[in-house]
Amino acid sequence: MEEQENPGELKFSNNYTKETEQASATINKPENQEKKSVATRKSSVSGPAIASMILGILGLIFTFTYFLSPISILLGIIGLIMGITSNKKSRSGFAIAGIATSIVSMVLGALELASCIGFFSFISNSIRDGLDNFQFGPFQQYIEDAQQTLII
């Protein structure tokens, strides 16, 4: 019986010759392989871009502290300047994130500073008005007499 050949079937041969071995050795030689070198590419992320983002995040952290909102505004201004200058040189995500966080920290810091000034203004006016209208009870007569004697 003869074997019929199937065109889709793979045939394996046990014929391993010295030529096959030499061809395999030639292909696998290190000289023939491409040299894999580590390419040193310049990073597109600049130091000022990262600093801008860090200053923006620090500014956001300082907005959560009521009395340090002026520091938040200052960090936001510095971070915004650094972010804009680094974004002009090379567009990077760190620069854009630095610009965004700096703007948010400046706005929130300004709102917090305004509310702080308004709050203390309200408190001082309330204390002043309260002391002007305060009645000292039984000592009120003595206080009025003392005021009259001092005026004369």
Side-chain angles (χ1 to χ4, degrees):
M1 275 206 218
E2 286 185 27
E3 270 186 50
Q4 293 180 353
E5 284 190 32
N6 235 346
E9 186 177 322
L10 294 175
K11 286 188 174 183
F12 295 102
S13 166
N14 288 336
N15 297 337
Y16 186 75
T17 63
K18 194 161 191 127
E19 292 173 359
T20 309
E21 186 176 312
Q22 288 174 349
S24 174
T26 306
I27 292 173
N28 292 329
K29 280 187 181 178
E31 303 99 36
N32 294 337
Q33 291 182 350
E34 289 182 24
K35 293 184 179 179
K36 295 180 182 177
S37 64
V38 178
T40 56
R41 67 178 185 124
K42 187 176 180 182
S43 177
S44 65
V45 178
S46 64
I50 294 173
S52 169
M53 188 181 71
I54 290 172
L55 288 174
I57 291 171
L58 283 175
L60 287 175
I61 290 171
F62 281 125
T63 58
F64 294 115
T65 57
Y66 201 60
F67 296 104
L68 296 178
S69 58
I71 295 174
S72 162
I73 296 170
L74 181 67
L75 290 176
I77 291 170
I78 295 169
L80 184 64
I81 291 169
M82 292 179 81
I84 289 173
T85 56
S86 66
N87 196 27
K88 285 181 181 177
K89 291 178 184 175
S90 65
R91 296 209 179 257
S92 70
F94 285 109
I96 294 170
I99 291 170
T101 55
S102 296
I103 289 172
V104 170
S105 71
M106 283 175 26
V107 169
L108 290 179
L111 289 175
E112 190 170 332
L113 183 63
S115 70
C116 184
I117 290 171
F119 174 73
F120 284 116
S121 174
F122 172 75
I123 293 296
S124 66
N125 288 338
S126 297
I127 290 172
R128 189 176 341 115
D129 291 343
L131 288 177
D132 289 343
N133 299 326
F134 187 72
Q135 299 294 324
F136 290 100
F139 299 107
Q140 186 68 33
Q141 184 62 35
Y142 296 116
I143 293 171
E144 289 174 3
D145 290 339
Q147 285 177 345
Q148 286 178 359
T149 56
L150 291 174
I151 292 175
I152 297 177

